[in-house]
């Protein structure tokens, strides 16, 4: 019974923290705010997470560890599958994972835009791994002549911009495009957009022959 | 003399605020922090900007007004130029403008990921205009058969992700890719990546004929 109650209050704290961080920001949220919203005692947050900083760290590393694990699984497929199939799998997996953890994804993506020691540590631990796995997929695509040759760094950066956008900008999607960013439909549609990008932008046009362009031809 | 001194202290306040917002966040920064860093009296910030909220609002609207103005100019070219030329011009202009105001761009892009009344107002005022101008360029490209038909909403979202990435994530670019995000070289190279996207992803393959793909052919 006690253990069950502990799990519930731990989950409440996590949910309250994510929600508050996404409206008032990490720095604008106090431990007391989180405790009040979660309906727990402040000391419980110290006990479980070693305070607000520990809680934020827990949230970021939990999210990113799961994220990197998913990518690692895809990376292992490279031996058996084409680079294109792996890249498609990676994009779908990343979008699904982020969608399942969308409030957390939003917080993490925003938080890593700050300059801080914690962020720098997270970069070198998790985002360097992300870059490593994505790079391996692209490099396999280049060497197998599946992908059009280009800079790995720049294509990974471009891809990261596209992958984080729907989770960083739900308010923008809602207010400007009048689309519900939390609907599965939206995520499916946006993922299709990314797969088109793989098809037209990343893949080599091996089977395409250029003809001279004729105006009004 | 007094006017000159006023301009200097106003500029100092703006620079101090942007820098603090980018390290400690808007909510983690007090008016006193800004005044101390800028070397001015707190009352001056009240006098010039009506406090911290007014200052943040000033920064966001100043940045976005300039941004939207640049896009409006490009939009006017649609009568005389091809949609592709206008889209290329738009991307170059947006990248240059953001690079020139990169600290401010970072703050604004991050701030609009929050849920707040101010952000909602900014969305409907400025980002709806941005969407309007970009949509007009894409729609011209579709109707002139320059661009491959696709959903305007989704391509604009995808583009926004790519356009904001280098300014939202300078730390990531530095720590993970070991590239200096503030160098003009980086911006030029990243812009080239976007122009390739226009070429391969957005433009219709009018002058391309598909041949059946032959393995080891």
């Amino acid at each position: 019974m006690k253990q069950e109650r502990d799990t519930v209050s731990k989950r409440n704290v996590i949910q309250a923290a994510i929600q508050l961080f996404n409206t008032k920001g990490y720095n604008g949220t106090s431990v007391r705010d989180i405790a009040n919203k979660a309906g727990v005692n402040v000391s419980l947050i110290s006990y479980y997470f070693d305070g607000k900083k520990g809680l934020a760290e827990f949230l970021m590393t939990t999210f990113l560890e799961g994220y990197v694990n998913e990518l690692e699984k895809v990376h292992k497929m490279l031996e058996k599958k084409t680079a294109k199939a792996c890249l498609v799998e990676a994009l779908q997996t990343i979008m699904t994972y982020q969608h399942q953890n969308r409030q957390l994804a939003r917080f993490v993506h925003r938080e890593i835009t700050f300059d801080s020691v914690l962020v720098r540590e997270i970069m070198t631990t998790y985002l360097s791994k992300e870059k490593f796995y994505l790079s391996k997929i692209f490099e396999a695509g280049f060497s197998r002549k599946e992908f059009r040759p280009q800079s790995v760094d720049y294509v990974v950066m471009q891809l990261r911009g596209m992958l984080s956008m729907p989770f960083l900008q739900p308010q923008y999607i809602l207010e400007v495009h009048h689309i519900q960013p939390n609907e599965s439909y939206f995520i499916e549609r946006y993922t299709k957009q990314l797969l088109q990008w793989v098809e037209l932008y990343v893949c080599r046009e091996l089977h395409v022959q250029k003809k001279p362009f004729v105006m009004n031809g």
Side-chain angles (χ1 to χ4, degrees), chain A residues 71-72 74-76 78-79 81-84 86-87 128-144 146-147 152 155-156:
Chain A
L71 266 183
E72 195 189 348
V74 178
H75 171 245
K76 280 187 183 147
L78 261 181
E79 287 171 29
K81 290 187 176 180
T82 63
K84 185 184 165 185
C86 291
L87 183 57
S128 291
K129 275 190 196 161
E130 179 206 45
K131 189 204 148 190
F132 173 82
Y133 293 129
L134 289 175
S135 298
K136 285 291 167 198
I137 297 173
F138 279 108
E139 280 158 9
F142 300 150
S143 70
R144 294 173 192 180
E146 287 180 57
F147 295 171
V152 174
V155 76
V156 167

Side-chain angles (χ1 to χ4, degrees), chain A residues 5 11 35 44 48 61 85 96 133 160 164 178-179 189 202:
Chain A
R5 213 169 51 229
R11 201 166 51 218
L44 202 104
Y48 281 143
T61 54
T96 306
Y133 293 129
R160 244 195 96 71
S164 57
H178 310 294
I179 297 171
R189 188 60 199 73
V202 178

Side-chain angles (χ1 to χ4, degrees), chain A residues 67 70-75 77 81-98 130 133-135 137-138 159 163 191 194-195 198:
Chain A
Y67 181 96
E70 295 287 332
L71 266 183
E72 195 189 348
K73 278 185 232 159
V74 178
H75 171 245
M77 296 175 189
K81 290 187 176 180
T82 63
K84 185 184 165 185
C86 291
L87 183 57
V88 165
E89 181 71 27
L91 302 195
Q92 285 173 329
T93 303
I94 292 173
M95 291 301 286
T96 306
Y97 180 79
Q98 292 189 107
E130 179 206 45
Y133 293 129
L134 289 175
S135 298
I137 297 173
F138 279 108
L159 180 56
L163 286 169
T191 307
L194 297 179
L195 302 189
V198 173

Side-chain angles (χ1 to χ4, degrees), chain A residues 160-195:
Chain A
R160 244 195 96 71
M162 295 193 287
L163 286 169
S164 57
M165 194 280 163
F167 306 99
L168 252 172
Q169 314 272 8
Q171 203 64 29
Y172 165 78
I173 293 165
L174 187 65
E175 301 284 337
V176 178
H177 294 274
H178 310 294
I179 297 171
Q180 288 286 345
N182 294 341
E183 296 271 350
S184 304
Y185 170 79
F186 164 70
I187 297 299
E188 281 165 30
R189 188 60 199 73
Y190 190 88
T191 307
K192 265 193 193 163
Q193 187 85 14
L194 297 179
L195 302 189

Side-chain angles (χ1 to χ4, degrees), chain A residues 4 8 23 28 31 44 46 49 124 132 136 152 176 178 203 213:
Chain A
E4 203 177 294
V8 170
T23 43
V31 192
L44 202 104
S46 310
F49 302 102
T124 46
F132 173 82
K136 285 291 167 198
V152 174
V176 178
H178 310 294
C203 286
F213 176 65

